[in-house]
């Protein structure tokens, strides 16, 4: 996923005044993938006292420990170990000398560490990384959010709802049921084993929007009690209608009628593509938003209707069929029938296929994965109350947002459309839905499924490029207050030895397997440390940012290997759901790949996105080949022989 931006701009809190609209209801246990998120248990020792004045969702947030600052020694040692496979002996000796100079007693490293500890230990600091990370990784990042920051989920088909407005209405109903639990705080917090995870970002899930600004964007969340309208875009035309009337949620039948009305009102004519403006460079969009507002006295108020809506529903007129087509349509679509700053966009196509697009700035993938899994699973299991099948007689006609456009806005839209089309035209996306096996067989191999699939990716990349290059895997640190992610560096001395052995037909199967187990153990160990906030990358970022503007950078930070080691040729992450048919995002460096993967019981799914010149289609091929090679080997060496019956 994106490794890009955050802001120290103060943001309004989502107001909790929706409680009277609907009665609280406890969340249901859904798919096994998310079972841990819904399981509550005794609060582990070491947590502070929960705030019982809040609902289950938020009551543990202030009881969680704060993000730790690792010791200088452990980070330096871990850094050297992580760069060793990238360097020859001479380069490694030079790097070791620079690191030793950095961490020597009384040296600059110790001074920066003390500054960072002072920031972390300040009672006013909730999370020492938060303001820096949000600005550098998200809000301060100026390239387009679409493909570089945003991510998508593609849904499996709904056999009961082929008509697009019928499926869209059901999705809205299920999403609103989830929203109610967020707003009244009855939703259980996600859990990792028996520890609650930070829920603070749920405040920016619904009724929220990113805003373009220089030099850094910001996010606003709106009062859900005052904003119960959904925004719908069809043929680039934006409409809104209220989902709650007289304190009661509209039935699914009522919502479908409203959506049918929008499709009819929109007709076959397409309006100027206002949404395309949100697909452009953030500085360009900052200026064109001002141009748009100045073009009509009502334009800012109309924009606010989109921005403050519960979420955006995109009713596309395209009919993607294959996994590749559906994934691309969810990833970016035509760049016009969208509003890419909106935190949540549900997408339904003319043939009834559907998916989701998330804006990444204030929320990582796990909460929206939970939302989307809830939507898909509760609908599949018929656990949503759809209300009366009889359509209400007093529905108000959806209101079209009639923006005023002038020559300057038309020109800006034309430019943004051109920029979008050029960007998308340079990219390829391929979905490898590998059905040879899944989590079930990997567990029989007695392997960590995530570490195993990371090695599939490493082997595929090595087959294609003949070298191992820096690889990012997202590690969740939401066990800490306002925690988001840490980097797990996948490439290790052990992984490099293993991929080389796999491609050497002279190495015996037993030796290949032994090297694989070492590579797996190395990855599991690094991930375990990263989950405790003890990776390399976030700590080193904090140390670098603790330098004063008039101070020289230490040699360790100016070495070529320092930037090379975090030049993520592979940006990877796992989110899994049996109801999803795809999930992904774009590459984070021009010579790299975005590889999202799902590990389901009987299949592995890889979404490979990259510039066409990087031949993502070939990496897609090698992923399948690698998964098959590993199965063939490990069925010989890791499966226990069946016990004979007496």
């Amino acid at each position: 996923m994106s490794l890009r931006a955050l802001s120290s701009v103060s943001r309004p809190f989502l107001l909790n005044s929706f409680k009277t609209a609907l009665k609280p209801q406890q969340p249901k246990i859904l798919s096994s993938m998310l079972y841990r998120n819904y399981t509550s248990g005794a609060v582990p020792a070491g947590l502070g006292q929960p705030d019982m004045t809040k609902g289950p969702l938020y009551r543990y947030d202030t009881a969680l420990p704060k993000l730790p600052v690792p010791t200088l020694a452990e980070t330096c040692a871990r850094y050297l170990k992580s760069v060793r496979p990238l360097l020859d002996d001479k380069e490694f000796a030079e790097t070791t000398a620079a690191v030793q100079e950095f961490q020597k007693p009384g040296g600059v490293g110790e001074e920066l560490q003390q500054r960072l500890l002072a920031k972390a230990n300040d009672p006013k600091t909730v999370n020492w990384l938060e303001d820096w990370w949000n600005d550098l990784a998200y809000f301060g990042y100026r390239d387009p959010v679409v493909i570089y920051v945003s991510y998508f989920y593609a849904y499996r088909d709904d056999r009961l709802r082929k008509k697009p407005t019928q499926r869209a209405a059901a999705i809205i109903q299920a999403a609103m049921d989830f929203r109610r639990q967020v707003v009244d705080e009855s939703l259980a917090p996600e859990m990792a084993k028996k520890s609650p995870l930070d829920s603070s970002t749920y405040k920016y899930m619904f009724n929220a929007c990113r805003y373009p600004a220089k030099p850094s964007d910001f996010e606003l969340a709106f009062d859900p009690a005052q904003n119960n309208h959904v925004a719908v875009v069809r043929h680039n035309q934006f409409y809104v209608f209220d989902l709650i009337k007289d304190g009661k949620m509209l039935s699914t039948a009522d919502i479908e009628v409203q959506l049918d009305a929008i499709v009819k009102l929109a007709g076959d004519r397409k309006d100027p593509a206002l949404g395309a403006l949100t697909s452009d460079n953030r500085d360009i969009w900052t200026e064109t938003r001002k141009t748009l507002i100045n073009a009509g006295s009502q334009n800012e108020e109309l924009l606010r209707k989109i921005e403050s809506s519960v979420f955006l529903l995109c009713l596309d007129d395209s009919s993607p069929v294959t996994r590749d087509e559906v994934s691309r349509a969810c990833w970016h679509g035509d760049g016009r029938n969208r509003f890419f700053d909106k935190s949540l966009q549900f997408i339904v196509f003319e043939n009834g296929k559907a998916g989701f697009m998330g804006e990444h700035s204030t929320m990582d993938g796990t909460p929206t994965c939970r939302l989307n899994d809830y939507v898909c699973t509760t609908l599949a299991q018929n656990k949503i109350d759809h209300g009366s099948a009889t359509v209400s007689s007093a529905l108000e006609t959806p209101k079209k947002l009639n923006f005023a456009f002038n020559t300057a806005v038309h020109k800006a839209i034309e430019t943004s459309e051109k920029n979008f089309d050029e960007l998308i035209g340079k990219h390829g996306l391929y979905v490898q839905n590998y059905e040879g096996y899944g989590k079930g067989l990997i567990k029989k191999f007695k392997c960590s499924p995530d570490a195993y699939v990371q090695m599939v990716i490493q082997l595929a990349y090595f087959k294609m490029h003949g070298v191992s290059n820096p690889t990012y895997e997202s590690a969740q640190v939401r066990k800490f207050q306002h925690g988001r992610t840490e980097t797990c560096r996948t490439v290790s001395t052990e992984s490099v030895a293993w991929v080389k052995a796999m491609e050497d037909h002279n190495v015996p199967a037993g030796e290949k397997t032994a090297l694989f187990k070492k590579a797996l153990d190395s990855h599991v160990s690094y991930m375990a440390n990263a989950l405790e906030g003890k990776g390399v990358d976030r700590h080193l970022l904090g140390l670098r940012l603790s330098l004063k503007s008039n101070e020289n950078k230490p040699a360790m930070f100016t070495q070529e290997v320092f930037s090379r080691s975090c030049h993520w040729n592979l940006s990877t992450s796992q989110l899994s759901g049996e109801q999803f048919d795809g999930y992904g995002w774009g590459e984070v460096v021009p010579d790299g790949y975005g590889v999202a993967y799902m590990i389901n019981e009987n299949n592995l799914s890889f979404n490979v996105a990259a510039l066409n010149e990087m031949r993502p289609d070939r990496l897609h091929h090698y992923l399948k080949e690698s998964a098959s090679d590993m199965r063939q080997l490990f069925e010989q060496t890791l499966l226990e022989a069946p016990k004979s019956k007496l």
Side-chain angles (χ1 to χ4, degrees), residues 115-307:
R115 294 177 190 175
L116 187 55
L117 286 169
K119 176 181 173 70
N121 294 329
D122 186 333
K124 297 179 182 178
T125 299
V126 176
N127 182 308
W128 62 263
L129 178 64
E130 184 176 22
D131 53 350
W132 285 333
W133 180 249
N134 284 1
D135 188 61
L136 291 173
Y138 294 107
F139 288 134
Y141 181 70
R142 308 323 287 162
D143 281 349
V145 293
V146 56
I147 86 162
Y148 291 127
V149 179
S150 302
Y151 58 97
F152 73 88
Y153 304 120
Y155 295 169
R156 292 191 183 278
D157 289 344
D158 186 335
R159 302 295 182 186
L160 300 177
R161 302 174 182 90
K162 292 290 190 179
K163 180 186 170 190
T165 53
Q166 181 188 28
R167 187 170 194 188
I171 289 171
I172 289 174
Q173 189 70 254
M176 286 296 287
D177 190 61
F178 191 89
R179 175 191 184 245
R180 173 186 49 74
Q181 297 172 54
V182 170
V183 175
D184 68 20
E185 303 179 8
S186 65
L187 191 69
E190 295 168 81
M191 308 288 287
K193 296 182 179 177
K194 292 187 177 182
S195 296
L197 300 180
D198 181 84
S199 298
S200 60
T201 61
Y202 277 80
K203 294 181 175 73
Y204 298 101
M205 180 176 281
F206 297 98
N207 299 100
C209 193
R210 177 171 174 160
Y211 280 74
K214 295 180 182 179
S216 188
D217 293 357
F218 60 95
E219 185 96 0
L220 290 179
F222 298 85
D223 182 358
Q226 303 300 320
N227 297 281
N228 289 305
H229 60 284
V230 63
V232 182
V233 58
R234 170 73 172 182
H235 288 165
N236 311 335
Q237 303 172 42
F238 288 88
Y239 297 83
V240 294
F241 65 91
D242 286 334
L243 291 169
I244 294 178
K245 183 179 181 182
D246 300 327
K248 186 177 180 181
M249 180 70 195
L250 293 186
S251 69
T252 305
D254 286 345
I255 298 171
E256 183 179 346
V257 166
Q258 295 291 71
L259 298 179
D260 284 336
I262 288 173
V263 171
K264 185 176 180 180
L265 288 167
D268 295 327
R269 181 180 60 82
K270 293 191 176 184
D271 276 8
L274 167 66
L277 298 175
T278 67
S279 74
D280 218 327
N281 172 280
R282 302 307 295 177
D283 287 342
I284 293 175
W285 169 219
T286 299
E287 296 305 317
T288 55
R289 187 175 187 275
K290 297 174 185 176
T291 302
L292 176 63
I293 289 172
N294 291 333
S297 60
Q298 301 298 313
N299 281 1
E300 186 169 17
E301 180 183 344
L302 297 177
L303 277 174
R304 185 60 61 97
K305 279 290 186 182
I306 300 171
E307 295 154 354

Side-chain angles (χ1 to χ4, degrees), residues 61 64-68 126-127 196-200 476-484 529-534:
D61 283 0
L64 297 174
K66 292 188 175 183
L67 182 69
V126 176
N127 182 308
L197 300 180
D198 181 84
S199 298
S200 60
Q476 177 176 264
V477 290
R478 287 174 56 212
K479 67 186 295 181
F480 304 107
Q481 290 187 43
H482 292 200
R484 293 194 66 171
N529 283 314
L531 292 172
E532 295 297 324
K534 295 184 177 182

Side-chain angles (χ1 to χ4, degrees), residues 349-418:
F349 302 98
E350 199 73 11
N351 58 356
K353 290 186 179 292
F356 167 88
M357 186 178 202
E359 203 288 304
H360 202 355
S361 300
T362 53
M363 189 178 307
D364 294 317
T366 46
T368 58
C369 179
R370 184 185 189 185
L371 162 66
N372 282 271
D373 185 81
Y374 185 93
V375 167
C376 294
T377 304
T378 53
L379 289 175
Q381 296 177 357
N382 196 27
K383 292 183 177 180
I384 290 296
D385 181 1
H386 291 285
S388 174
T390 302
V391 176
S392 302
S393 59
L395 290 174
E396 295 181 6
T397 303
K399 179 183 177 182
K400 183 180 179 182
L401 305 182
N402 288 306
F403 288 91
F405 298 96
N406 59 17
T407 302
V409 174
H410 282 296
K411 184 176 180 180
I413 290 174
E414 183 180 346
T415 299
S416 292
E417 288 177 327
K418 179 175 178 291

